[in-house]
Amino acid sequence: MGNGLEKRKFQRLEYPLEVTVEIVSAGKAPKGSPLLHMKSRNISKAGICLESKALEIDGLNLLSGRPGARENHLHLLIGFIPDEPTFEATGEPCWYDVAQDAPELSYQIGIEFIDIRGDGRKQLERFLKHHKSDSVVGRLSDIMNFWKK
């Protein structure tokens, strides 16, 4: 379980995204398992934090195996930018925590990207850069409006 003390390599962008997830056995190609629809809590160049109501889905525990060698990986599909191909990656669940701010039991699951397909890395960087500048401008505007009162 995460203790909130880990050192982060990359800045997180707090941004809710619709993420389509397929659980796959480590080292195997996606095989048509039921698709899950989750929301992200935040995202960075290295991974994504997903929110889920369960850690076990269809009898598969997302955290089976030891860290760095999980038995199950997640095939992730995310539509970052309209009119561009869907971002596609494979990720490994690294940690989980109970969401403290959720009205009902919910988990936050940290996923490290272990394989990003095609031009996905460039697409992710553009998305992060665009929304980071939006959030900085929005925060500055909020601060200025606060002091005008």
Side-chain angles (χ1 to χ4, degrees), residues 6 45 65 102 114 128 135:
E6 74 272 3
K45 291 180 183 180
I114 56 176
L128 292 170
S135 66

Side-chain angles (χ1 to χ4, degrees), residues 8-149:
R8 292 184 169 179
K9 294 179 186 176
F10 298 100
Q11 182 178 0
R12 287 355 186 224
L13 172 68
E14 300 287 327
Y15 199 89
L17 292 163
E18 297 290 333
V19 183
T20 301
V21 177
E22 180 181 6
I23 302 171
V24 295
S25 295
K28 296 185 180 176
K31 60 181 178 195
S33 299
L35 298 179
L36 308 168
H37 300 282
M38 298 181 178
K39 283 207 184 284
S40 70
R41 184 169 188 93
N42 61 53
I43 188 166
S44 76
K45 291 180 183 180
I48 190 167
C49 177
L50 298 177
E51 295 184 331
S52 175
K53 293 187 189 316
L55 294 175
E56 186 171 304
I57 300 164
D58 290 338
L60 297 173
N61 188 310
L62 298 178
L63 297 164
S64 291
R66 63 183 183 17
R70 299 283 187 210
E71 294 172 12
N72 299 310
H73 289 164
L74 302 180
H75 182 238
L76 308 165
L77 300 170
I78 308 169
F80 285 134
I81 303 169
D83 302 324
E84 284 197 19
T86 300
F87 174 84
E88 188 174 350
T90 299
E92 179 174 312
C94 296
W95 59 265
Y96 82 97
D97 204 351
V98 176
Q100 301 297 322
D101 55 356
E104 58 187 272
L105 181 63
S106 180
Y107 299 98
Q108 296 171 0
I109 306 167
I111 311 297
E112 178 183 3
F113 297 135
I114 56 176
D115 180 41
I116 297 176
R117 311 285 185 318
D119 287 334
R121 191 161 306 280
K122 291 178 187 174
Q123 186 183 37
L124 175 59
E125 288 174 4
R126 281 195 323 271
F127 174 82
L128 292 170
K129 183 177 179 180
H130 173 77
H131 287 285
K132 179 181 174 190
S133 64
D134 283 352
S135 66
V136 169
V137 169
R139 285 187 197 136
L140 288 174
S141 177
D142 291 344
I143 291 168
M144 290 173 55
N145 288 333
F146 173 80
W147 287 108
K148 286 182 182 178
K149 293 180 182 179

